[in-house]
Amino acid sequence: MKLTFVTGNTHKFREAERILKEYNVIIGRKDVNCEEIRSESCEEIALTCLRLLRRKVNKPFFVEDSGLFINALNGFPGTLSSWVFKKIGNGGILELLREKQSRDAYFLSAIAAWDGGREKVLTGKVDGHISLELRGKGFGYDPIFIPAGSDKTFGEDEKVKFLCSHRRNSLRKLAEWIGR
Ligand code: ITT
């Protein structure tokens, strides 16, 4: 099945394209702006966005809302991740964590999909912690996020990110749902 990923983020699209190809799901990209509601739930934001876009996108499609949740900051930046990244970047996050004991964090990805008849929300998560300094490339918070079981940031180890990311987990569920 051909699916459309509605996103303004080319990094997210490229990751999704590579991962879904493994499951024989081919995707195209559409960049239609969706006024995101304010909520602490990625699932709620993604589903609301899907329903708003249903009128504009007349073919099977999905949207994804994701974010970095840091325990010591009560889940901040969470669903504000995109905005916070633009405002204070990775340097700002490291500064906020300077005096904190715990650096535990997780990435969450919520996909809301419409296959032409049904709609579904699928989530993926990856646990980890925030590094002491910026390391590697990638996009967004990749240079400061170290997944559990690794000592490298997502930005330093693209392969690990490809295999275990929050997005990999939600996209795998999407592929399974589409295939049913
Ligand atoms: P769309 O809403 O148009 O899809 P966006 O970038 O605004 O694009 P989100 O609202 O889901 O997407 O924002 C999530 C932000 O969280 C994103 O902009 C990054 O800063 C960060 N983020 C999400 N997934 C990430 C990942 O895999 N690696 C690094 N940072 C990530």
Side-chain angles (χ1 to χ4, degrees):
M1 170 187 286
K2 178 102 197 267
L3 259 185
T4 297
F5 184 8
V6 178
T7 178
N9 186 323
T10 50
H11 303 282
K12 288 189 355 182
F13 178 76
R14 267 189 242 120
E15 282 186 10
E17 193 179 30
R18 269 183 75 195
I19 290 168
L20 285 173
K21 211 169 157 199
E22 280 184 17
Y23 299 95
N24 295 318
V25 178
I26 305 301
I27 59 169
R29 179 175 166 220
K30 204 172 166 82
D31 183 0
V32 189
N33 188 43
C34 172
E35 274 304 313
E36 276 181 18
I37 57 158
R38 197 172 284 183
S39 162
E40 287 193 25
S41 155
C42 288
E43 290 98 315
E44 198 183 6
I45 293 173
L47 185 58
T48 310
C49 202
L50 183 88
R51 288 176 176 167
L52 284 171
L53 290 174
R54 278 275 296 274
R55 289 180 222 121
K56 293 189 192 162
V57 189
N58 270 319
K59 48 190 169 188
F61 76 103
F62 67 98
V63 293
E64 189 233 35
D65 195 72
S66 49
L68 175 69
F69 294 73
I70 300 173
N71 296 2
L73 304 178
N74 295 323
F76 182 85
T79 55
L80 298 175
S81 288
S82 177
W83 183 77
V84 170
F85 185 78
K86 283 178 208 141
K87 290 287 176 194
I88 64 172
N90 285 320
I93 296 290
L94 293 180
E95 191 61 31
L96 288 173
L97 285 181
R98 215 149 52 96
E99 305 290 324
K100 303 287 184 195
Q101 295 291 321
S102 158
R103 304 182 75 84
D104 292 349
Y106 60 90
F107 265 122
L108 205 66
S109 157
I111 287 174
W114 183 66
D115 70 356
R118 308 165 297 169
E119 62 180 24
K120 182 88 175 166
V121 177
L122 308 129
T123 57
K125 187 183 175 205
V126 60
D127 288 310
H129 66 276
I130 303 298
S131 60
L132 291 168
E133 71 283 302
L134 274 158
R135 288 185 351 222
K137 300 182 203 133
F139 78 96
Y141 302 101
D142 281 346
I144 61 166
F145 183 81
I146 300 175
S150 173
D151 55 5
K152 290 190 180 143
T153 65
F154 269 172
E156 288 177 298
D157 198 337
E158 200 195 325
K159 261 191 218 139
V160 167
K161 178 171 189 193
F162 182 66
L163 293 175
C164 81
S165 77
H166 49 312
R167 190 159 297 111
R168 150 77 69 179
N169 291 325
S170 58
L171 288 167
R172 177 180 40 79
K173 291 181 192 171
L174 173 68
E176 285 164 5
W177 180 68
I178 290 292
R180 271 204 271 136

